[in-house]
């Protein structure tokens, strides 16, 4: 989902990151189809989902791409402060705009807002501001926001590894996380949804986690080596604890999500000569085996079929592998454009669907024409949000990073000089 800022009007077909744009474009379209099928293609959805979980497929492709890009971004900059500035200005402007528009539409009755479950507005707002709301026991204002909580957890873990100089151990981290997922299922570990919130209270957890996150990012971005390590470790522990004990997905799946992202990182290291392809292939095999075994042992459940989930994961890994194999080939312009605006596509489409559901309602029978019409409206809208929300935000982030660069150079982590 994440990418260096580029304007879609003139994509570079042979760009070093063109294949990643293609993967993001494919993933975005599949996720949009998954969600829009509730409204326009209910019959097809009922038949397809048990066999192929399209939502998980698209999300896993996004996670693999994020794993490939995000740690490289940190190591290329060599500075935690610059990394966080880049992430904040990359992710938050569109997120804030989408949430604001959704709330406005809800107030005027055009779209229905999700029930807060009795939680206070301040608690929900603060949880969303951390982007960890999915792991803090609060409802997501938009369902798709749950994946951003795992993205944020990954950022915190990547920074933690970087500050303690273990960032080159991506393969080992990926295998350990996948192994823990398999062990948790084999041991029958089953926790209630948002178990930690139920134990200490959602409000208390949100307050403590928010403070811990601010402290972690602030210290990790400081000029003191000791504070950098403290902040990095604090953020990493926070993320890991929340994924383990307070997710809404099963423990094993939360661990698999993180393992898949670190698998993407391992692929990046192999491609740039910092690991062997053989070791990376073994890592991929172990992660896939543990993930598939975990899903199979977990079995079928509410809104979950192991066959659909397993097929989705395997196809996501194969899609990423095919993109990697073809990375030096010319990428179709349509896919590079879709990849460039994929973050807008991902966040804007549920708002448009909320308006349609709140005004026209969902169809009981399939309508391919309405499905196509939905995409025809969505994609031009996303071009606009990318151009006028995402790009300015990224520009502001680059300017701020450039302004702080002289001071950042003095605060570089020693490990940063190894490159990406």
């Amino acid at each position: 989902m994440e990418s260096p800022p580029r304007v879609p009007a003139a994509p570079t077909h042979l760009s070093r990151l063109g294949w990643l744009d293609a993967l993001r474009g494919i993933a975005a379209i599949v996720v949009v189809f998954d969600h829009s099928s509730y409204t326009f293609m209910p019959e097809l959805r009922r038949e397809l989902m048990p066999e192929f979980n399209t939502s998980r497929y698209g999300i896993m492709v996004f996670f693999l791409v994020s794993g490939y890009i995000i740690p490289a971004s940190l190591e290329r900059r060599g500075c935690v402060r610059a990394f966080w500035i880049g992430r904040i200005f990359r992710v938050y402007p569109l997120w804030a705009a989408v949430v604001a528009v959704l709330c406005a539409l809800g107030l005027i009755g055009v779209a229905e807002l999700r029930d807060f479950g009795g939680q206070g507005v301040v608690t929900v707002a603060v949880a969303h501001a951390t982007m960890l709301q999915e792991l803090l026991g609060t409802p997501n204002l938009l369902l798709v926001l749950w994946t951003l909580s795992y993205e944020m957890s990954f950022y915190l873990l990547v920074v933690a590894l970087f500050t303690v100089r273990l960032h080159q151990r991506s393969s080992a981290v990926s295998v350990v996380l996948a192994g823990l997922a398999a062990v948790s299922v084999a041991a029958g570990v089953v926790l209630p949804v948002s178990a930690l919130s139920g134990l200490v209270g959602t409000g208390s957890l949100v307050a403590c986690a928010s403070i811990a996150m601010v402290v972690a990012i602030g210290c990790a971005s400081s000029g003191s080596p000791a504070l950098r390590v403290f902040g990095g470790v604090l953020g990493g522990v926070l993320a890991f604890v929340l994924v383990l004990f307070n997710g809404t997905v099963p423990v094993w799946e939360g661990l698999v999500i993180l393992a898949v992202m670190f698998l993407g990182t391992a692929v990046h290291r192999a491609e740039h000569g910092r690991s062997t392809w053989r070791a990376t292939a073994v890592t991929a095999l172990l992660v896939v085996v543990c993930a598939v075994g975990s899903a199979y042992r977990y079995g079928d459940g509410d809104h979950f079929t192991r066959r659909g989930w397993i097929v989705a994961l395997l196809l996501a890994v194969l899609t990423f592998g095919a993109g990697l194999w073809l990375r030096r080939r010319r990428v179709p312009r349509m896919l590079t454009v879709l990849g460039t605006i994929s973050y807008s596509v991902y966040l804007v489409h549920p708002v448009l669907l909320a308006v349609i559901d709140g005004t026209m309602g969902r169809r009981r029978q399939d309508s391919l024409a309405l499905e196509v019409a939905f995409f025809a409206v969505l994609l031009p809208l996303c071009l606009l949000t990318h151009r006028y929300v995402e790009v300015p935000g990224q520009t502001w982030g680059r300017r701020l990073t450039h302004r702080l660069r002289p001071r950042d150079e003095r605060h570089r982590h020693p490990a940063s000089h190894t490159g990406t």
Side-chain angles (χ1 to χ4, degrees), residues 132-209:
L132 290 172
Q133 73 289 332
E134 167 72 11
L135 302 173
L136 292 176
T138 61
N140 294 283
L141 290 175
L142 281 175
L143 184 59
V144 297
L145 295 180
W146 78 270
T147 61
L148 297 186
S149 292
Y150 283 91
E151 288 271 351
M152 182 60 74
S153 298
F154 181 62
Y155 299 165
L156 291 168
L157 288 168
V158 166
V159 170
L161 292 172
F162 184 76
T163 57
V164 298
R165 307 187 189 188
L166 293 177
H167 54 290
Q168 299 287 351
R169 306 291 181 87
S170 307
S171 292
V173 172
S174 182
V175 171
V176 168
L177 289 168
L180 287 175
V183 169
S184 72
V185 175
V189 176
V190 179
L191 295 176
V193 170
S194 303
L196 198 55
S197 293
L199 181 64
V200 303
T202 300
S204 299
L205 181 62
V206 169
C208 292

Side-chain angles (χ1 to χ4, degrees), residues 197-337:
S197 293
L199 181 64
V200 303
T202 300
S204 299
L205 181 62
V206 169
C208 292
S210 301
I211 294 171
M213 184 174 175
V214 171
V215 171
I217 293 175
C219 289
S221 303
S222 74
S224 166
L227 284 178
R228 281 202 302 271
V229 172
F230 171 76
V233 171
L234 176 62
V237 169
L238 172 66
F240 193 62
V241 167
L242 290 178
V243 170
L244 277 181
F245 300 111
N246 216 52
T248 60
V249 301
V251 174
W252 68 267
E253 188 174 10
L255 290 168
V256 165
I257 287 171
L258 295 178
V260 164
M261 286 194 270
F262 278 106
L263 174 59
T265 310
V267 170
H268 183 277
R269 299 205 187 287
E271 186 184 9
H272 289 78
R274 295 177 180 86
S275 178
T276 66
W277 281 114
R278 178 177 296 180
T280 303
V282 171
T283 298
L285 178 63
L286 291 174
V287 169
V288 169
V289 168
C290 288
V292 170
S294 298
Y296 187 84
R297 180 67 181 268
Y298 181 74
D300 296 332
D302 295 337
H303 309 293
F304 179 92
T305 60
R306 58 187 175 189
R307 180 186 301 174
W309 192 96
I310 290 171
V311 169
L313 174 71
L314 293 177
L315 286 180
V317 173
L318 289 174
T319 301
F320 187 80
L324 181 67
W325 180 263
L326 300 172
R327 64 190 181 279
R328 293 184 177 87
R329 301 285 185 89
R330 181 175 294 275
V331 178
R333 184 169 184 249
M334 180 180 296
L335 288 181
T336 62
V337 171

Side-chain angles (χ1 to χ4, degrees), residues 53-71:
N53 190 323
T54 49
S55 177
R56 284 302 189 269
Y57 166 81
I59 287 167
M60 287 300 182
V61 172
F62 274 132
F63 284 149
L64 281 164
V65 173
S66 289
Y68 183 95
I69 291 175
I70 299 303

Side-chain angles (χ1 to χ4, degrees), residues 355-397:
V355 172
I356 293 172
D357 291 344
T359 54
M360 299 172 54
R362 294 181 174 179
R363 293 186 59 84
R364 295 182 179 179
Q365 296 179 327
D366 290 351
S367 175
L368 181 59
L370 288 178
E371 181 75 33
V372 172
F374 175 75
F375 275 93
V377 173
L378 173 68
L379 296 181
L381 181 60
C382 292
L383 285 169
L384 293 175
T385 56
H386 174 81
R387 176 64 182 87
Y388 294 106
V389 180
E390 288 191 71
V391 171
Q394 294 164 29
T395 300
W396 297 335

